[in-house]
Amino acid sequence: MNEPVRPATAPRRRRAAKTADAADTPAAETGRTNDPEATMADILDVATREFAAKGLAGARIDEIAAATRTSKRMIYYYFGSKEGLYVAVLEEAYRRIRHIETDMHLEDLEPETALRRLVAFTCDYQRSNPDFIRLVMNENMHHGEFLAQSRLIQQLNVPAINLLRSVYERGVHEGVFRSGIDPIDLHMSISALSVFNVSNRHTFSLIFKHDFDNPAAIEARRDSIVEMIVRFVRA
């Protein structure tokens, strides 16, 4: 934690991947077949679980290296530092969800149908990716300190708001949605309802003696959230 924060940028990681085939790089230490892109993806995958489970302070580079059959030196070579790896994990987590969102072709759907699909997707994705929720919660404990260092994450989230804004404005134009709603506020409401299903399901299950992991309960809760959002924006 006392290391300076030097998150590897995407260009740097690409350069590292290209040069890692050389015999004098850390890749030669492990005896693995030189496949830098696959190695980096493996490191990010394991590091995601490690940071999600233990947070930045609790995660151990030694354990990530052991689980990926690499070395601390190789991880630092690719990502610069423990904090650099953490930032890269955050970037990859946001890249995945935003990539799927932008590939949903919501512009081809009627506004209400598009909104329903987006909200349902958000609920399902958060539910299926609890590590993403834990990473976001962990970063909030750091007051967004490391997320703020990534231009990529900030750039990735602009299309997400633009996508929702486009759906909403089409609905207003067609008279099916009421005007005066801030797309960022709407995005926050969708996220809040979706995240709570993951972040609080264990405590809610224990307090109210209700199985929130039951498939029927999951589907009913998702449908309820979709309906709440749609009714909120309807004209």
Side-chain angles (χ1 to χ4, degrees):
M1 287 295 295
N2 294 324
E3 302 172 22
V5 179
R6 296 189 299 273
T9 61
R12 173 181 172 178
R13 291 199 293 271
R14 285 195 293 270
R15 288 196 299 271
K18 289 179 180 179
T19 58
D21 287 326
D24 59 348
T25 67
E29 297 178 1
T30 65
R32 296 181 59 170
T33 301
N34 284 330
D35 188 348
E37 294 291 347
T39 299
M40 291 171 66
D42 194 22
I43 292 170
L44 285 173
D45 185 53
V46 172
T48 294
R49 297 194 296 271
E50 181 76 5
F51 285 125
K54 303 175 184 177
L56 176 59
R60 294 289 178 263
I61 295 296
D62 284 335
E63 295 184 17
I64 296 171
T68 54
R69 296 183 294 112
T70 57
S71 66
K72 290 178 66 174
R73 183 185 172 199
M74 179 182 288
I75 292 173
Y76 290 143
Y77 175 76
Y78 285 136
F79 300 100
S81 65
K82 178 181 180 181
E83 289 82 0
L85 176 58
Y86 174 69
V87 171
V89 164
L90 289 174
E91 289 177 342
E92 180 63 14
Y94 276 97
R95 186 200 63 77
R96 287 176 181 171
I97 185 171
R98 299 312 178 212
H99 175 73
I100 298 172
E101 286 174 342
T102 56
D103 203 35
M104 293 176 68
H105 303 292
L106 298 182
E107 67 277 5
D108 299 329
L109 304 174
E110 294 295 326
E112 183 173 317
T113 302
L115 182 60
R116 285 181 178 275
R117 181 169 295 185
L118 180 59
V119 176
F121 160 75
T122 304
C123 287
D124 288 341
Y125 187 90
Q126 311 290 38
R127 183 78 192 193
S128 300
N129 294 272
D131 281 352
F132 176 67
I133 304 302
R134 296 187 186 104
L135 286 170
V136 172
M137 293 172 65
N138 197 9
E139 182 58 13
N140 272 287
M141 293 177 66
H142 289 285
H143 305 286
E145 173 187 353
F146 297 97
L147 188 148
Q149 298 173 27
S150 172
R151 291 183 180 179
L152 176 61
I153 292 177
Q154 296 173 48
Q155 292 170 354
L156 285 170
N157 285 287
V158 170
I161 296 300
N162 289 341
L163 180 68
L164 181 57
R165 178 180 285 109
S166 175
V167 171
Y168 169 67
E169 290 181 348
R170 283 198 294 117
V172 171
H173 179 73
E174 294 179 20
V176 296
F177 295 160
R178 62 186 177 90
S179 61
I181 298 176
D182 182 355
I184 295 178
D185 182 71
L186 181 58
H187 176 73
M188 178 178 284
S189 296
I190 296 169
S191 297
L193 289 167
S194 301
V195 167
F196 194 89
N197 294 335
V198 180
S199 64
N200 290 57
R201 75 180 190 275
H202 298 299
T203 52
F204 255 53
S205 293
L206 289 169
I207 292 171
F208 298 107
K209 311 301 179 186
H210 185 80
D211 184 8
F212 288 98
D213 289 326
N214 180 281
I218 293 172
E219 183 177 354
R221 180 60 186 159
R222 180 194 62 203
D223 293 346
S224 178
I225 291 171
V226 171
E227 196 63 28
M228 278 190 278
I229 294 297
V230 169
R231 291 189 183 191
F232 173 69
V233 301
R234 269 187 185 150

